[in-house]
Amino acid sequence: MSASATYKNETLRREFDLSRDSVNADARTVELCFATEAPVERYFGNEVLDMGAQSVRMDRLNRKAPLLVNHNPDDQIGVVESARVDGDKIGRAVVRFGNSQKAQEIFKDVQDGIRRLISVGYDRTGIVSSKKASDGMVTTRYRWMPTHIAIVPVPADQKAGV
């Protein structure tokens, strides 16, 4: 399959580590990293989410996108209060946990360092570039749109953290 045919109609995910130091217990908020340009090996080759201003559509995250458990749309525990891409090309967000019993339980696990892994759900919206290495592996940089943030047990991208 060609690189240009692989980006449409697929919602993918990446995961990151969460630090207890970024927790504001009174406001029930956490600042976290949700994306970097670290390559992730997929079935079609290496995928890089381009963090350039022209490549990331942040509007959906900044309209109170959901904070989910395990990417389950029926398991919302909070909202994204704000999201940005900083000069170091790391996507960061402040998320706020709700008041439901489950949201409180998960927030307590975050505070205690039990739940540390964060994932971003996203849609690829176009290709910035695609290069084939000498070993035959293709690395493709994508334009993309984050759709939600989730707390998960298993990470894909180990390069980012809070």
Side-chain angles (χ1 to χ4, degrees):
M1 181 182 306
S2 72
S4 62
T6 62
Y7 75 89
K8 294 185 180 188
N9 300 321
E10 289 184 74
T11 296
L12 299 171
R13 302 170 183 145
R14 288 185 171 219
E15 289 82 22
F16 306 97
D17 201 12
L18 173 62
S19 169
R20 293 188 324 187
D21 297 339
S22 65
V23 175
N24 180 329
D26 294 333
R28 295 184 332 279
T29 62
V30 178
E31 184 170 16
L32 51 86
C33 165
F34 67 88
T36 72
E37 287 192 337
V40 171
E41 189 173 336
R42 302 284 190 190
Y43 67 90
F44 50 81
N46 285 323
E47 173 194 67
V48 175
L49 299 179
D50 192 275
M51 299 301 289
Q54 302 301 316
S55 294
V56 186
R57 290 180 41 200
M58 299 293 287
D59 52 312
R60 191 164 176 178
L61 274 192
N62 281 311
R63 286 194 312 259
K64 303 281 190 211
L67 175 64
L68 305 175
V69 177
N70 297 324
H71 296 282
N72 182 346
D74 295 325
D75 207 355
Q76 183 174 355
I77 57 168
V79 295
V80 176
E81 287 291 330
S82 63
R84 68 191 188 280
V85 176
D86 291 332
D88 57 2
K89 293 192 173 191
I90 293 177
R92 292 182 174 91
V94 174
V95 297
R96 181 171 47 89
F97 286 77
N99 286 310
S100 70
Q101 181 177 349
K102 181 155 190 183
Q104 290 177 16
E105 288 172 8
I106 301 231
F107 184 58
K108 179 68 173 143
D109 282 349
V110 169
Q111 289 176 296
D112 292 342
I114 305 300
R115 293 186 186 250
R116 308 177 294 100
L117 302 175
I118 299 300
S119 180
V120 63
Y122 58 96
D123 295 330
R124 293 177 294 193
T125 60
I127 293 176
V128 175
S129 65
S130 189
K131 295 179 183 173
K132 190 174 199 174
S134 60
D135 64 0
M137 179 67 85
V138 175
T139 297
T140 305
R141 296 180 70 83
Y142 289 94
R143 284 185 291 283
W144 62 292
M145 178 181 60
T147 60
H148 65 274
I149 292 175
I151 295 183
V152 298
V154 181
D157 182 343
Q158 298 289 325
K159 295 246 180 192
V162 177

